[in-house]
């Protein structure tokens, strides 16, 4: 629901079908999927290298490091999302009621707002970690948090607008039929990618501001 507004159920159903017939894919198909997934991550890394050009001039990342980062990082992110999914599914299974210190607490009102705020905070931390891992060189926690907060705020606004648009004005289901889910997924991922790069641009511009414009064009000291 965070990544594909309005089409979460359709994507979940497709993933369910994939898991039911996973033997059709086999080992070769799995390797192909991993290969193209790493290519997608490499595209993001190249885009980050353009945004953080001043860092690439100073240091470059080893090829093996760039090849291993996608799998290690996505593995950690996947584990975190799995934990969130289990907790969310448990809350839905109990009807939004949990036991806290031998008392039943219903997840509604202020509690629901608190859980929503916690989810937004988790998304901001996820994007912050992304900005700390992907660009070349070490980015300070404050700068990465600034980019993560910017991207999270923009995505939350865009996500709610997309949900409203698909529910009220969009005719994508009528026009594209069974391909509507794929169209919505591609559009959502494109918007998410733009917001992700915009957050990185905010970090880069903030670094240039702190450096007083000396980041991109370092001046060699002259002898007296």
């Amino acid at each position: 629901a965070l990544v594909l507004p309005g089409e979460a159920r359709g994507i979940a159903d497709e993933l369910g079908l994939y898991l039911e017939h996973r033997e059709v894919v086999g080992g070769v198909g799995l390797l192909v999927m991993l290969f193209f997934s790493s290519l997608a991550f490499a595209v993001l890394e190249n885009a980050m290298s353009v945004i953080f050009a001043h860092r690439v001039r100073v240091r470059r990342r080893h090829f093996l490091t760039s090849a291993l980062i996608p799998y290690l990082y996505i593995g950690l992110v996947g584990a975190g999302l799995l934990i969130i999914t289990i907790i969310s599914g448990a809350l839905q299974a109990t009807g939004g009621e949990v036991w806290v210190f031998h008392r039943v607490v219903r997840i509604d009102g202020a509690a629901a707002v608190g859980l929503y705020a916690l989810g937004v905070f988790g998304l901001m931390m996820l994007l912050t970690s992304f900005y700390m891992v992907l660009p070349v060189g070490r980015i300070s926690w404050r700068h990465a948090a600034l980019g993560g907060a910017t991207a999270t705020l923009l995505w939350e606004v865009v996500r709610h607008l997309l949900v409203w648009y698909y529910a009220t004005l969009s005719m994508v289901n009528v026009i594209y039929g069974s391909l509507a889910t794929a169209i919505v997924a591609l559009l959502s991922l494109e918007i998410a990618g733009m917001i992700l790069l915009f957050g990185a641009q905010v970090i880069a511009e903030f670094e240039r501001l702190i450096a007083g414009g000396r980041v991109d064009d370092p001046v060699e000291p002259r002898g007296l």
Side-chain angles (χ1 to χ4, degrees):
L2 285 174
V3 179
L4 299 173
E7 295 294 334
R9 183 177 297 276
I11 295 296
D13 292 340
E14 293 297 329
L15 290 176
L17 291 175
Y18 170 79
L19 292 177
E20 291 179 2
H21 304 283
R22 56 185 177 272
E23 68 278 356
V24 178
V25 179
V28 176
L30 181 61
L31 292 176
V32 171
M33 291 170 60
L34 290 175
F35 173 74
F36 284 104
S37 299
S38 64
L39 286 183
F41 207 91
V43 170
L44 279 178
E45 189 176 20
N46 291 333
M48 290 289 181
S49 67
V50 175
I51 295 175
F52 295 96
H54 54 279
R55 291 176 170 270
V56 179
R57 295 172 187 171
V58 177
R59 67 186 71 181
R60 289 184 178 274
R61 183 174 287 163
H62 194 273
F63 170 75
L64 291 178
T65 304
S66 298
L68 292 176
I69 281 179
Y71 303 108
L72 296 177
Y73 180 74
I74 297 300
L76 293 176
V77 171
L81 292 177
L82 178 61
I83 295 175
I84 294 175
T85 303
I86 292 175
I87 295 175
S88 176
L91 290 176
Q92 292 181 2
T94 58
E97 296 181 350
V98 295
W99 284 86
V100 179
F101 297 112
H102 305 286
R103 295 182 59 184
V104 177
V105 178
R106 184 164 183 80
I107 308 301
D108 57 0
V113 174
L115 285 178
Y116 173 77
L118 185 62
V120 173
F121 178 76
L123 178 61
M124 187 186 75
M125 290 294 100
L126 176 63
L127 293 175
T128 299
S129 67
F130 185 88
Y131 290 131
M132 294 188 68
V133 170
L134 197 58
V136 176
R138 181 179 178 82
I139 293 182
S140 67
W141 171 258
R142 292 185 303 169
H143 294 178
L146 176 64
T150 302
T152 300
L153 178 61
L154 288 176
W155 176 244
E156 281 300 305
V157 173
V158 171
R159 184 170 70 89
H160 285 86
L161 289 176
L162 287 177
V163 171
W164 173 81
Y165 174 73
Y166 292 140
T168 57
L169 301 178
S170 177
M171 299 181 63
V172 63
N173 291 323
V174 177
I175 297 175
Y176 295 102
S178 60
L179 296 177
T181 300
I183 299 298
V184 172
L186 291 176
L187 179 60
S188 301
L189 290 177
E190 182 177 1
I191 296 175
M194 293 172 61
I195 293 176
L196 189 66
L197 294 180
F198 182 80
Q201 188 66 51
V202 169
I203 298 175
E205 294 299 328
F206 192 73
E207 287 184 345
R208 294 186 179 96
L209 181 63
I210 294 299
R214 297 188 301 273
V215 177
D216 285 332
D217 300 311
V219 179
E220 293 294 335
R222 297 181 180 180
L224 298 178

